[in-house]
Amino acid sequence: MSSAESTEQTGPAVRSHPQHAEHPEHSQRTPPPAPMPGLAESARLLADSTTTSTALVADALARIEAAQPTLNAFRHLRAEAALAEAAEADRRLAAGERLPLLGVPVAVKDDTDVAGLPTHFGCDGERPPATTDSEAVRRLRAAGAVIVGKTNSCELGQWPFTEGPAFGATRNPWNPAHTPGGSSGGSASAVAAGLVPAALGSDGAGSVRIPAAWTHLVGIKPQRGRVSVHPHHDAFQGLTVNGPLARTVADAALLLDAAAGPHPEDLHRPPAVRAFDAARRDPGRLRIALAWRPPLTLTGAGPDPEVRRAVAALAETLARLGHHVEEARPRYGLIGLTFVPRATAGIAEFAARHPEPALLDPRTRSALRTGTRLGGRVVRAARAREVRQHRRIGALFDASGYDVLLTPTTAAPPPRIGTFDHLSAWRTDVTMAAACPYAWPWNVLGWPGINVPAGFTRSGLPVGAQLLGPSRSEERLIALAAQLEDDLRWYDHRPPA
């Protein structure tokens, strides 16, 4: 078995460390293979008997194997199991069975339980294989998807980069000297590079939207509870949700529909939406607030000029499409004072389960100590303020009459690999807050948001914009994102070979 391959039976971690290989900027580039079809296109080709699941899954595994030394997107593969499931999907398709994703290869993030594989969540050390699938994976399988593997995440999903001693550095297909973002960086790198048609990530402070922005993808952070986080009932004190990354709005919506739905023990159970249908719907004429000023982070961060240029151009596109766009300023207040206790308490809860705490990053151990101090009464008080935060920030929609809030997804383009190496916990927090000050408030609120590609810097690095809405507004956001996509055709742009 090659070093980039593991099975459910053996379960060893994929441990490629591309920083020790030939430097990506100097490596010999080979002509790219034909693009992998997207999620909806793959499902259509399978339903029409134009291809087979075995062919699609084998192709995905070959692409992953070839890209692993450079991009290092995957922690675990299910090569043997996935090919066996693909063969079974082909038998079901030949018998006339049809499901939304029957036979289509997808990937999930390594914070998500897949039976037979350990859930490392970016950490070093050995973990036993999960005995059952998470609810989201169970639903993906029920829709017919073939899970080909688990993608890299930074340690406990804390940071907007995907690097660590457990697995090395996951790299950006647009420029491997730069991060794809985090913490769903492995999923973003895999989709942007065309290794899989789509992948599931998770978003606790922008961890779907940030890597989507930095890899030119659509990334949906759904309403809290839309996609179950079971076996966790309230992951990271209600901040974290699961959501899709894909190259098109329709593909992201299709994956969202397949993964959505509650586990019987879930605390949050919003009514169902029809995301894929919304991707084919006219959004109507909307009032859109454009906000440049991020919430207070004490960093003085504002958007990089190239980010501002790209998001301003996207706002002009929205106006040209008939929407009313004007600058506004959401009343964020001191929302960060409630985010910090919830985030650090969540890290502490996950870190306390690690069987070898000494293997955790010193910054994780610092967050564990902070989260332990801020747990209990402080975190309960922070969560109790959410209702008032809904009213204050929701006034942008309720009182001011806006339908959508538009902001940059990040303040900066993707940093270089190693930017955060050897920083203290405090310096890491300050540096990432300056680069990524826009995404996390919507995790506190539990409301939906979508990253859409906004273009590129002059050096060719992707940047993104957020479409944010009030509670349960996914369908409106998806319809608006699809309208933008029809006009801008961002899916025509692919990373260089």
Side-chain angles (χ1 to χ4, degrees):
M1 185 186 300
S2 69
S3 62
E5 188 173 34
S6 63
T7 70
E8 285 186 298
Q9 289 72 33
T10 58
V14 177
R15 291 184 181 269
S16 293
H17 292 266
Q19 65 267 35
H20 296 155
E22 184 180 9
H23 196 283
E25 292 179 329
H26 302 125
S27 60
Q28 186 74 29
R29 294 199 183 274
T30 57
M36 170 170 274
L39 198 71
E41 178 69 2
S42 294
R44 186 190 67 78
L45 292 171
L46 287 166
D48 292 347
S49 302
T50 305
T51 189
T52 65
S53 178
T54 298
L56 290 178
V57 170
D59 183 35
L61 292 168
R63 289 169 187 261
I64 294 166
E65 178 81 19
Q68 188 68 13
T70 301
L71 298 181
N72 190 27
F74 280 80
R75 185 74 182 261
H76 292 281
L77 294 187
R78 304 179 61 248
E80 294 178 16
L83 286 169
E85 290 166 13
E88 175 61 22
D90 286 333
R91 287 191 286 272
R92 295 165 68 185
L93 286 160
E97 185 174 354
R98 295 294 181 266
L99 293 169
L101 296 178
L102 183 55
V104 180
V106 300
V108 300
K109 183 178 176 181
D110 189 33
D111 62 347
T112 306
D113 285 352
V114 175
L117 294 180
T119 302
H120 286 289
F121 203 175
C123 297
D124 207 349
E126 299 302 318
R127 301 300 297 267
T131 56
T132 58
D133 290 332
S134 68
E135 179 65 16
V137 168
R138 187 194 71 78
R139 287 180 176 271
L140 288 175
R141 289 192 199 270
V146 177
I147 311 297
V148 296
K150 299 180 72 174
T151 58
N152 276 328
S153 166
C154 64
E155 193 168 285
L156 303 185
Q158 303 166 78
W159 305 306
F161 55 90
T162 303
E163 303 164 42
F167 58 87
T170 295
R171 295 176 180 267
N172 195 319
W174 293 93
N175 185 330
H178 290 256
T179 181
S183 61
S184 305
S187 289
S189 181
V191 176
L195 310 184
V196 289
L200 197 66
S202 61
D203 190 316
S207 286
V208 162
R209 290 162 288 157
I210 291 166
W214 285 348
T215 57
H216 197 66
L217 297 177
V218 176
I220 301 178
K221 175 215 171 298
Q223 178 78 21
R224 183 185 297 151
R226 177 74 61 215
V227 179
S228 176
V229 294
H230 189 84
H232 312 293
H233 302 304
D234 198 36
F236 287 85
Q237 294 293 326
L239 297 177
T240 295
V241 298
N242 291 322
L245 295 108
R247 295 188 62 250
T248 70
V249 176
D251 283 356
L254 181 58
L255 192 65
L256 177 59
D257 279 341
H263 183 275
E265 298 176 5
D266 282 353
L267 298 178
H268 311 288
R269 306 167 70 89
V273 296
R274 298 172 67 91
F276 190 66
D277 288 347
R280 296 174 287 182
R281 185 183 308 151
D282 188 313
R285 187 174 186 271
L286 303 176
R287 293 192 71 227
I288 299 174
L290 170 60
W292 295 111
R293 185 173 177 178
L296 179 66
T297 59
L298 303 179
T299 65
D304 178 276
E306 293 203 86
V307 172
R308 188 177 181 110
R309 172 184 55 79
V311 176
L314 190 135
E316 291 173 2
T317 299
L318 287 166
R320 177 171 53 77
L321 291 171
H323 303 290
H324 177 80
V325 183
E326 64 183 25
E327 292 192 19
R329 184 176 293 181
R331 294 178 56 233
Y332 290 114
L334 298 178
I335 192 170
L337 296 180
T338 62
F339 171 77
V340 171
R342 293 173 68 171
T344 56
I347 293 167
E349 291 163 4
F350 275 81
R353 302 182 189 128
H354 196 283
E356 300 177 83
L359 295 178
L360 295 172
D361 189 295
R363 294 169 291 189
T364 301
R365 297 200 297 271
S366 174
L368 189 159
R369 292 189 294 271
T370 301
T372 301
R373 288 196 300 270
L374 297 180
R377 182 183 302 174
V378 176
V379 79
R380 287 196 296 272
R383 297 203 65 169
R385 292 186 64 84
E386 189 178 304
V387 173
R388 278 175 283 178
Q389 290 161 343
H390 284 164
R391 287 198 298 266
R392 185 179 63 247
I393 299 173
L396 182 79
F397 306 106
D398 299 330
S400 299
Y402 293 107
D403 300 298
V404 174
L405 173 63
L406 170 68
T407 80
T409 302
T410 68
R416 293 182 70 88
I417 294 288
T419 294
F420 295 85
D421 287 356
H422 311 302
L423 296 182
S424 67
W426 171 252
R427 289 306 309 168
T428 297
D429 289 346
V430 169
T431 304
M432 71 179 184
C436 303
Y438 291 102
W440 55 269
W442 248 243
N443 296 87
V444 176
L445 300 170
W447 294 347
I450 301 178
N451 174 80
V452 295
F456 299 87
T457 67
R458 290 177 178 85
S459 61
L461 293 171
V463 295
Q466 289 186 112
L467 304 174
L468 302 170
S471 180
R472 304 174 182 177
S473 59
E474 287 103 323
E475 291 188 358
R476 177 188 298 158
L477 299 177
I478 288 168
L480 180 60
Q483 183 187 50
L484 269 172
E485 180 179 85
D486 286 344
D487 187 83
L488 297 175
R489 297 179 61 86
W490 51 61
Y491 48 79
D492 286 337
H493 300 281
R494 294 179 179 268

